[in-house]
Amino acid sequence: MYTKSLLVATFLVLGATVAITSECKMIWIFGIPCRDVYVTLVTQIKNWRNVGSCITGSQSCLYELVSTTPYVIKAKHTSPRTKFSNTFLIIFNPAEEATMCRVTGDSISDFFVDPVDSDINYCSLQNLIDGSGLSKVDGYKHFTNEYICVESHAPNCTIG
């Protein structure tokens, strides 16, 4: 009986944890080669790695480059206000033409939703694109919706 109760309690806890974990998926298209996008994003993550790059109220800091491969960047962002973090993957899908690049971003909260930074997954990804200047390149397009990125309907992503 004890084992059955323990299993039920474990499933309830795991279910509650999954229910309050936040995730965001986004797609970007850039009118420049993927190599340029890749280098720009890795450079921006490195530039925003320490707390010294924070401006009061800004989220443009505490990024950490976890790993890279030719078509994948794995990184982490920690909120300077709450210290909650999220991990994200940026996956490159080079188009047939060398002048276009399709990129997918997938961010998930590490553990649970941060009630103060409820849009942290969306903002961690989009601030990186905006802060690096990639949102201003020719051919830039951005796709997401509230079903694949719950925070995308009204984000507050001040990058300072």
Side-chain angles (χ1 to χ4, degrees), residues 24 119 122 142 144-155:
C24 181
D119 47 13
Y122 175 89
H142 161 250
T144 195
N145 64 46
E146 63 188 59
Y147 299 106
I148 59 174
C149 184
V150 294
E151 303 99 345
S152 67
H153 62 281

Side-chain angles (χ1 to χ4, degrees), residues 1-102:
M1 187 65 162
Y2 174 76
T3 304
K4 186 175 179 181
S5 297
L6 183 60
L7 282 173
V8 169
T10 301
F11 286 122
L12 288 174
V13 168
L14 287 175
T17 302
V18 170
I20 59 174
T21 297
S22 178
E23 185 173 7
C24 181
K25 294 180 186 293
M26 299 169 76
I27 297 171
W28 301 282
I29 296 175
F30 303 97
I32 59 175
C34 279
R35 183 73 186 141
D36 295 346
V37 176
Y38 181 94
V39 169
T40 300
L41 289 175
V42 168
T43 300
Q44 192 64 47
I45 291 167
K46 289 178 179 179
N47 287 344
W48 282 354
R49 76 176 160 246
N50 60 40
V51 76
S53 60
C54 290
I55 300 170
T56 305
S58 174
Q59 292 288 327
S60 58
C61 58
L62 301 178
Y63 279 77
E64 175 189 349
L65 190 61
V66 175
S67 64
T68 60
T69 65
Y71 294 104
V72 178
I73 297 170
K74 182 176 183 180
K76 182 176 230 139
H77 176 250
T78 302
S79 169
R81 288 180 280 178
T82 64
K83 305 304 181 214
F84 289 124
S85 63
N86 62 312
T87 300
F88 57 91
L89 289 176
I90 299 173
I91 301 168
F92 295 81
N93 303 306
E96 301 248 347
E97 301 172 27
T99 59
M100 293 247 336
C101 183
R102 181 178 177 270

